[in-house]
């Protein structure tokens, strides 16, 4: 079973690299959104996407590292907010 499209000649010579670049950008966007809403879900997703993008050798390495950092920051913001509010969730 093949999970990705087969490699063909022409412009689509590296679909795995293109996928990794997309994952890096998605990781950055989800990490950024996670600072505002749903950080318990978006933080781990951003971390996972950044790790996979880096593992696949993305050309957007800085974006993937930023997504990884923002994903960790999402979880840190959640932990701090939970500690301050003494609940299992937080609100503004």
């Amino acid at each position: 079973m093949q999970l990705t499209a087969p490699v063909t000649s022409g412009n689509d010579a590296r679909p795995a690299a293109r996928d990794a670049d997309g994952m890096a950008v998605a990781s950055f966007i989800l990490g950024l959104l996670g600072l505002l809403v749903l950080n318990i879900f978006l933080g781990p997703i951003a971390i996972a996407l950044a790790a996979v993008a880096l593992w696949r050798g993305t050309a957007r390495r800085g974006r993937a590292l930023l997504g990884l950092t923002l994903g960790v920051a999402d979880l840190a913001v959640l932990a701090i907010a939970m500690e301050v509010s003494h609940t299992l969730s937080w609100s503004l």
Side-chain angles (χ1 to χ4, degrees):
M1 185 170 137
Q2 191 169 359
L3 298 176
T4 60
V7 176
T8 60
S9 62
N11 292 340
D12 296 334
R14 293 185 45 178
R18 234 182 27 211
D19 289 345
D21 292 347
M23 285 183 198
V25 173
S27 170
F28 170 71
I29 292 170
L30 291 177
L32 200 57
L33 283 174
L35 289 173
L36 302 174
V37 294
L38 297 173
N39 47 3
I40 189 120
F41 298 111
L42 297 180
I45 293 171
I47 292 169
L49 283 174
V52 172
L54 289 169
W55 181 69
R56 287 188 179 182
T58 181
R60 299 179 181 209
R61 184 173 170 80
R63 209 56 60 90
L65 290 173
L66 206 57
L68 182 66
T69 304
L70 286 170
V72 171
D74 291 347
L75 296 178
V77 165
L78 177 65
I80 291 168
M82 285 173 42
E83 186 64 32
V84 168
S85 67
H86 301 293
T87 64
L88 292 177
S89 65
W90 66 276
S91 63
L92 296 176

